[in-house]
Amino acid sequence: MKSFFAEKLNVMEQMIQHTAGILSQMTNYTSILLGPEVFHTSLRHFQLLPLHDHQAVAIIVTSTGQVENKIVSIPPGVSVSELEQVVNLLNKKLVNVPLYKLKTRLYTELGEEMQRHIAHYEDLMSMLDIALNNEPDQRGIYLSGTTHMLNQPEFKDVDKVRDIFELLEQTPALMKLMAPAPGEHGIQVRIGTENTHEAISNCSLITATYSIDGKALGSIGILGPTRMEYARVIGILNVLSHDLTKLLSHWYK
């Protein structure tokens, strides 16, 4: 049974990679595709296990069954009961939150309540910030045509291209750039400084989501110069995102 599902996942991954390649070839720009696991891997459980008075192991269990752990320093004066209180609060508030949103939700949803009820609020928030700072890997992120950047006259500046390439290796930054804005659907176009990351402030990013039964599974996008052929790129992106939705809908069902 395991080999059956592994084979299915492998075929789906190849399909997504192939789509990224087609998009890049048709546009001569860099394509970025975020697979379903990027947006939908979430926190299942969080635990802090004290090793001694000054250190603990922070354990994160994800919805996919992956277990990550990290050694963190326990702030001076923090008791075991306070640690348990923080763990219980975090599990109550942040379970099922996608991993890429954890750090933001830590401050927006946990911070205020911790400030009201926990004495060493600031020190414990700093500890949690470190505990949740495990860098996600590149699994589920597919890039194609990154070297197309080198063929564009706008990107002859080596430092500028280096900054873009470094951005393309940063999973959290890519997820933030590619994630659809709340309440927005369909094609989204961000030109120049409309992009939130300085490295691509001279680029255009056009994205679309693909979904099943109205639920977004991932994003597909094109990164290129601001002079790109918008109508043509949007048309290609629209067709491919719809085709990917149909293929994945058939595959899942």
Side-chain angles (χ1 to χ4, degrees):
M1 185 174 288
K2 285 183 179 179
S3 61
F4 171 77
F5 283 107
E7 183 179 350
K8 277 201 165 264
L9 288 170
N10 185 50
V11 172
M12 185 176 72
E13 182 176 316
Q14 289 177 3
M15 186 191 336
I16 293 173
Q17 285 180 319
H18 188 54
T19 301
I22 291 174
L23 185 56
S24 175
Q25 289 171 15
M26 293 182 72
T27 60
N28 286 320
Y29 300 131
T30 301
S31 66
I32 307 168
L33 202 152
L34 302 190
E37 60 269 46
V38 172
F39 286 120
H40 298 285
T41 299
S42 58
L43 177 68
R44 178 183 291 171
H45 184 72
F46 177 79
Q47 186 63 49
L48 281 173
L49 298 178
L51 298 175
H52 47 70
D53 290 344
H54 307 295
Q55 281 189 328
V57 180
I59 301 172
I60 297 174
V61 182
T62 73
S63 57
T64 59
Q66 184 177 355
V67 179
E68 302 175 3
N69 59 77
K70 194 171 194 177
I71 303 294
V72 294
S73 298
I74 300 174
V78 172
S79 66
V80 173
S81 63
E82 280 182 294
L83 290 179
E84 291 175 352
Q85 192 177 358
V86 167
V87 167
N88 291 337
L89 191 57
L90 190 147
N91 282 314
K92 178 183 176 183
K93 294 284 187 179
L94 300 185
V95 163
N96 297 324
V97 170
L99 294 186
Y100 78 99
K101 291 183 177 180
L102 273 183
K103 292 287 289 292
T104 301
R105 298 279 283 272
L106 171 66
Y107 289 95
T108 58
E109 296 193 14
L110 205 64
E112 187 176 335
E113 193 159 346
M114 282 182 60
Q115 190 172 16
R116 287 200 306 266
H117 301 294
I118 296 177
H120 298 84
Y121 155 72
E122 291 184 357
D123 292 336
L124 284 168
M125 285 295 287
S126 297
M127 182 194 70
L128 290 177
D129 188 273
I130 293 170
L132 299 176
N133 199 34
N134 286 353
E135 184 79 6
D137 60 28
Q138 288 288 105
R139 191 168 62 90
I141 296 182
Y142 308 93
L143 300 173
S144 185
T146 53
T147 55
H148 287 330
M149 286 283 179
L150 303 176
N151 299 326
Q152 308 296 335
E154 292 90 342
F155 304 115
K156 296 302 181 184
D157 186 326
V158 175
D159 291 331
K160 187 183 295 184
V161 174
R162 184 188 300 118
D163 289 343
I164 295 173
F165 281 6
E166 287 177 357
L167 170 63
L168 294 177
E169 294 177 354
Q170 297 173 27
T171 301
L174 277 182
M175 289 190 292
K176 185 176 180 181
L177 285 171
M178 294 287 291
E184 292 190 15
H185 304 282
I187 301 289
Q188 296 182 39
V189 181
R190 302 181 184 92
I191 301 173
T193 54
E194 292 176 1
N195 292 297
T196 56
H197 201 289
E198 186 178 351
I200 57 170
S201 61
N202 294 313
C203 301
S204 287
L205 178 65
I206 305 177
T207 61
T209 56
Y210 57 93
S211 57
I212 293 180
D213 294 333
K215 181 179 180 181
L217 285 183
S219 292
I220 180 170
I222 278 291
L223 180 67
T226 55
R227 59 172 177 80
M228 71 166 65
E229 302 172 76
Y230 290 96
R232 179 172 177 272
V233 172
I234 289 172
I236 293 171
L237 194 59
N238 196 37
V239 169
L240 282 182
S241 62
H242 278 89
D243 286 349
L244 190 57
T245 291
K246 290 178 182 177
L247 285 169
L248 289 176
S249 294
H250 174 74
W251 194 257
Y252 271 81
K253 293 177 180 179

